[in-house]
Amino acid sequence: MGIEQELKKNLFMGQDHHWGIILAGGDGNRLKEYTERIYGYHRPKQFCALLGTRSLLKHTISRAQMLIPFDQIFTVVSKHHCNYFSEELVGLPLRTILVQPCPRGTSAAIIYPLLKIYHSDPEAIVSLFPSDHFIENEERFMKYVQEANMYVEQNPESIVMLGVQPERIESGYGWIECGSLVQSTSSNNVYSVKKFWEKPSIETNEKLMKRRCLLNTFVLIGRCSTFLQYIYQSIPEVLRTFNIINQFVDSDFEKYIVESTYHEIPDVNFSKSVLEKISEHLRVMEVKGLYWSDWGEESRVLRDIKRFSKRNYSPELYKIEKEKYYSVA
């Protein structure tokens, strides 16, 4: 039995309360120059195939489906990206594609699907995935998501974050400084969270690496009800703006209500306004034995393409081969 089949077998024996949220509403401005060179126009990075023939978003969906039923994975997109996500999300249930009429920050993008999930399954455990990450050995990564899911089952008051030990010192990442060891098994270590470091200087990065701090993947696992509880404690004013939407979830009027009220939602950063306020309830699980990168900067993308591609593509050559691929497709 393969790892993917084993994961599904182990996870779904007797329960199907695992749901997923994929965040795919960003504009990808940090990678804009690179994607323009490849495609000839600006295409947000999550909709780009930067290594291979599948986009980052399709990779993320496929990865999530190793553990989660396809109809229990919500993908959050932005209306002004309609031309892109309509290509990328073909075949997925329409109810799982949540279109934001306008970008309102990470908090809104997380609260909306949480309310949808809670409405369907109050016992749900939710895994949150950004859509712009590159992961080598995806099956091993999802094994950690599964283990975090099991930790949350036993510790429902906790939200687990996945943290990665860095290979090198570089800027542009968020870091997690671990506190005390909470759980240790043959396959993982779980720590309390001492402090967040949001994109510190190179000098600070050196110190954090020596202290064995972890890179923040922003992959979060927790009970849906627990997420909503801590959101209410931290940013009640934002959650209250969703009251009217919540009343019409899964009704014929939901789309209209979202269109007419979404612009009133405050634009609030989830990490700063929620996670940093509930650090005593957070746990970080150390991810080992794989390669993870947030493809937010061109230098990382080029380095990883050189490292993991069978051929060392230049952007120009990759553009030519991509044009051949799309002309055939």
Side-chain angles (χ1 to χ4, degrees):
M1 180 183 294
I3 296 177
E4 181 176 341
Q5 289 74 25
E6 181 184 350
L7 289 176
K8 287 187 175 182
K9 177 177 180 293
N10 291 341
L11 185 61
F12 293 116
M13 286 182 64
Q15 64 93 20
D16 59 354
H17 295 300
H18 196 178
W19 294 67
I21 296 172
I22 296 175
L23 301 178
D27 288 324
N29 288 326
R30 287 188 297 161
L31 217 61
K32 182 177 180 179
E33 291 185 6
Y34 181 68
T35 56
E36 283 182 348
R37 289 206 307 274
I38 292 176
Y39 283 86
Y41 62 93
H42 175 51
R43 186 180 179 94
K45 60 184 175 178
Q46 64 269 30
F47 305 115
C48 294
L50 302 179
L51 181 60
T53 56
R54 288 193 299 168
S55 68
L56 291 173
L57 176 55
K58 284 185 176 179
H59 273 289
T60 307
I61 293 171
S62 177
R63 192 182 309 135
Q65 288 179 351
M66 291 180 183
L67 285 180
I68 307 170
F70 76 101
D71 59 347
Q72 292 183 190
I73 301 171
F74 285 95
T75 303
V76 184
V77 292
S78 295
K79 186 177 182 179
H80 64 289
H81 294 158
C82 179
N83 290 340
Y84 309 130
F85 68 73
S86 59
E87 297 174 0
E88 298 292 321
L89 302 179
V90 173
L92 295 181
L94 291 179
R95 67 175 294 273
T96 67
I97 303 171
L98 302 188
V99 182
Q100 300 178 106
C102 55
R104 302 308 300 155
T106 48
S107 291
I110 292 170
I111 292 171
Y112 184 24
L114 283 175
L115 292 175
K116 294 273 289 183
I117 292 169
Y118 188 77
H119 189 266
S120 297
D121 181 8
E123 301 299 317
I125 294 177
V126 179
S127 295
L128 178 70
F129 305 97
S131 61
D132 56 355
H133 294 174
F134 171 76
I135 299 172
E136 185 268 335
N137 199 339
E138 294 179 307
E139 291 178 338
R140 186 177 182 88
F141 186 85
M142 293 307 295
K143 180 68 173 175
Y144 280 103
V145 175
Q146 180 196 15
E147 291 174 352
N149 183 285
M150 292 187 291
Y151 181 89
V152 166
E153 283 186 329
Q154 299 169 6
N155 302 274
E157 77 288 349
S158 296
I159 292 174
V160 177
M161 318 177 70
L162 299 189
V164 176
Q165 191 68 238
E167 287 189 349
R168 63 183 65 80
I169 297 171
E170 60 180 303
S171 61
Y173 280 117
W175 293 68
I176 305 169
E177 185 171 355
C178 300
S180 58
L181 181 66
V182 175
Q183 174 181 287
S184 182
T185 69
S186 59
S187 57
N188 68 68
N189 291 324
V190 179
Y191 300 90
S192 63
V193 173
K194 184 175 181 180
K195 184 177 180 179
F196 289 101
W197 296 82
E198 185 59 29
K199 299 180 181 179
S201 66
I202 289 291
E203 294 76 15
T204 302
N205 284 345
E206 292 181 15
K207 297 176 182 177
L208 296 177
M209 194 166 181
K210 289 178 180 178
R211 280 190 254 170
R212 295 187 60 78
C213 296
L214 303 174
L215 299 180
N216 186 0
T217 68
F218 202 68
V219 174
L220 307 171
I221 300 94
R223 288 193 175 274
C224 187
S225 56
T226 301
F227 272 113
L228 290 171
Q229 174 188 342
Y230 294 150
I231 288 169
Y232 181 72
Q233 291 177 8
S234 304
I235 47 172
E237 71 284 359
V238 179
L239 193 58
R240 278 195 292 266
T241 61
F242 275 91
N243 280 341
I244 187 168
I245 293 175
N246 189 42
Q247 294 175 37
F248 290 93
V249 162
D250 291 339
S251 75
D252 294 338
F253 300 100
E254 178 183 342
K255 183 177 180 181
Y256 169 77
I257 296 297
V258 169
E259 286 277 357
S260 61
T261 63
Y262 211 82
H263 66 281
E264 300 174 4
I265 298 169
D267 187 336
V268 174
N269 181 278
F270 189 77
S271 293
K272 192 75 176 175
S273 299
V274 179
L275 295 182
E276 291 188 13
K277 292 181 179 179
I278 62 165
S279 58
E280 70 272 21
H281 301 295
L282 298 177
R283 299 292 179 262
V284 55
M285 181 176 289
E286 184 177 3
V287 173
K288 301 177 181 179
L290 55 83
Y291 181 82
W292 169 90
S293 179
D294 173 356
W295 274 6
E297 297 181 7
E298 181 177 335
S299 59
R300 292 183 206 149
V301 177
L302 293 177
R303 182 186 64 219
D304 291 343
I305 288 176
K306 181 178 180 180
R307 177 174 177 176
F308 293 103
S309 177
K310 293 180 181 178
R311 298 175 59 190
N312 184 6
Y313 289 116
S314 66
E316 292 75 18
L317 178 59
Y318 201 71
K319 179 182 177 181
I320 293 171
E321 297 212 350
K322 187 178 297 299
E323 288 173 350
K324 290 180 182 177
Y325 168 75
Y326 280 108
S327 66
V328 172

